[in-house]
Amino acid sequence: MTRRAPSRRQVLLGGVAIAAASSLVRPARAASTYALNPFEVAGGVWMIEGAQESLDAANGGAICNIVLLETDAGAVIVDTGSTARFGAALRAFADQRLGGVAAVFNTHHHPDHWLGNQAFTDRPIKALADSKAAAEANGADYATALYAILGNWMTGTAPHPPAQAVAPGPVVIGGRALRLIGEAGHTGADLAILDEETGTLVAGDLLFLDRAPSLPDADIAAWKRALERLADLNPAGVVPGHGPLDRTGAALAQTRAYLEGFDDRMKRAVTRGLSPMEAILAGPMPEFAAMGANPEEYHRSVVQRWTEYESEALPVVGGA
C-alpha cells in the first residue's frame, strides 16, 4: 500500500486514543498524583505497567509500559509516559532508588511514550532519527490532543522531543550492555532494546499483550517482518509496549494474529462493498473482542486504515 505523510487532522485523529465511537472530550477534573508501582522483572530491570486502556482522564494517560535499567551511572529509562507529571514521578523514583538517570530512550513517536520527557531535559534523550523527526513535527498537535483528553493531568506539559538520534547496534551505558534494534511497522521507526545481561527485550509497541494494538501509523507487512526478526532473538523475557511481562512468546504470537486478523477483516469488508460504519458496527474480531482498549482501538483502526484498503481494492478508473 502507498503510504502518505499524515496531515494535521490525521495526527490529531490517529496518533492518540480518540476512538470513532467514543470521541467525546472528557471534562477536566482536579488532577491527582501518579501512584507508580515499579517491580523488578529481571536483574536490574524494572517495569512500570500501564493500564490496558485507551488514553483517558480516568487513567491520567498512564497506559504504556515503562522500563528502567539499573547501571553504574544511574537508570536508563525507556519511554517516559504521557504527561510532565508522570515524567516527574518517574524521575523521583529513579533519583531515590536507582542512583539518578543516565539516559532516556524513546521507542517511537506516539505521545503516550514521550510527553513525559520534560522531566529529563538535563539528561540525554535518545531515539531513532525518524522517531526524533516525527516527534518534532507532531509534538504540538499531540499535546493539544492530549490536553483535550486528559484535562488537568496535562497541566504544565510541553513537548520535548528526543534530542539525540541513535543508530542500531551495541551500546554500553554505566557498564550495562544493551543492543539497540531498529525496526519499523508499528510506526516508521520503532526502537527495541535487548538487555544483554538478562536477555530481556524491551519491545516498545512492536508487541502488545492482552491489549488491542493501535494502528495509526501501521504498515502491517513491515510489522510482521519485524516480528519475525524479534522472534529470532529468542529473548528470556519480553516487556511489550502495552500489557504484562511475557516469558512465553504469547505477546509475539498474539500481536501477529491480531494484525493478520485485522488485515483479513478489512480486505473482506472493502471487497464486499461495506461502508466504514458497517465495518465499525460489526465490532472487533471475536477472538480479540475482550482485549483491553477494545472496541475503541478497533473502531479507531477502521477509521485510520479504511482509505488505504479501499484504495487498494478499488483503484480509481484511469489511474488518477
Side-chain angles (χ1 to χ4, degrees):
M1 294 181 182
T2 301
R3 300 190 60 76
R4 303 177 178 87
S7 66
R8 183 176 188 274
R9 177 176 172 77
Q10 287 172 318
V11 167
L12 291 172
L13 290 175
V16 297
I18 301 174
S22 59
S23 58
L24 294 176
V25 174
R26 304 300 179 92
R29 66 176 192 179
S32 185
T33 57
Y34 292 99
L36 305 186
N37 183 30
F39 55 99
E40 194 170 13
V41 299
V45 181
W46 294 77
M47 174 180 176
I48 299 172
E49 187 173 345
Q52 295 190 51
E53 303 167 351
S54 296
L55 287 164
D56 192 285
N59 56 45
I63 64 168
C64 80
N65 290 335
I66 308 294
V67 170
L68 304 96
L69 300 153
E70 292 186 56
T71 83
D72 294 339
V76 172
I77 296 179
V78 185
D79 288 335
T80 60
S82 300
T83 70
R85 187 173 305 193
F86 186 95
L90 187 60
R91 178 70 184 259
F93 171 76
D95 286 345
Q96 295 164 14
R97 296 285 301 278
L98 303 180
V101 176
V104 171
F105 287 91
N106 295 146
T107 57
H108 61 291
H109 73 276
H110 288 165
D112 53 317
H113 292 260
W114 68 271
L115 281 184
N117 282 358
Q118 198 167 344
F120 305 97
T121 53
D122 62 333
R123 312 308 300 161
I125 304 176
K126 307 167 184 282
L128 295 172
D130 286 352
S131 293
K132 176 177 179 292
E136 291 169 346
N138 300 314
D141 288 341
Y142 284 150
T144 298
L146 263 62
Y147 268 96
I149 296 170
L150 301 179
N152 285 346
W153 287 102
M154 284 287 290
T155 299
T157 301
H160 285 268
Q164 297 183 13
V166 295
V171 62
V172 177
I173 300 177
R176 190 155 202 138
L178 308 173
R179 193 190 316 173
L180 307 183
I181 301 164
E183 288 289 355
H186 175 64
T187 69
D190 297 295
L191 177 66
I193 300 176
L194 181 68
D195 175 47
E196 300 281 11
E197 183 174 321
T198 66
T200 302
L201 177 66
V202 185
D205 279 6
L206 288 168
L207 292 178
F208 289 71
L209 181 57
D210 298 337
R211 194 270 192 194
S214 56
L215 311 179
D217 300 300
D219 179 330
I220 289 178
W223 197 340
K224 289 168 62 179
R225 292 193 294 272
L227 295 183
E228 295 305 317
R229 290 187 285 271
L230 294 184
D232 290 341
L233 296 173
N234 195 26
V238 167
V239 180
H242 299 261
L245 175 75
D246 174 36
R247 298 192 190 281
T248 68
L252 197 146
Q254 192 180 89
T255 302
R256 181 193 295 118
Y258 189 96
L259 296 177
E260 291 174 345
F262 182 84
D263 190 45
D264 179 65
R265 166 76 72 95
M266 291 301 99
K267 287 176 178 174
R268 287 190 291 116
V270 297
T271 55
R272 291 178 181 178
L274 299 184
S275 70
M277 186 53 68
E278 288 174 311
I280 288 172
L281 292 176
M285 297 76 77
E287 61 270 39
F288 304 112
M291 280 183 165
N294 254 342
E296 294 89 350
E297 281 293 353
Y298 170 76
H299 295 163
R300 190 162 69 107
S301 295
V302 173
V303 173
Q304 293 159 344
R305 303 260 66 94
W306 184 265
T307 301
E308 289 182 29
Y309 283 97
E310 194 171 55
S311 299
E312 188 80 7
L314 305 170
V316 175
V317 174

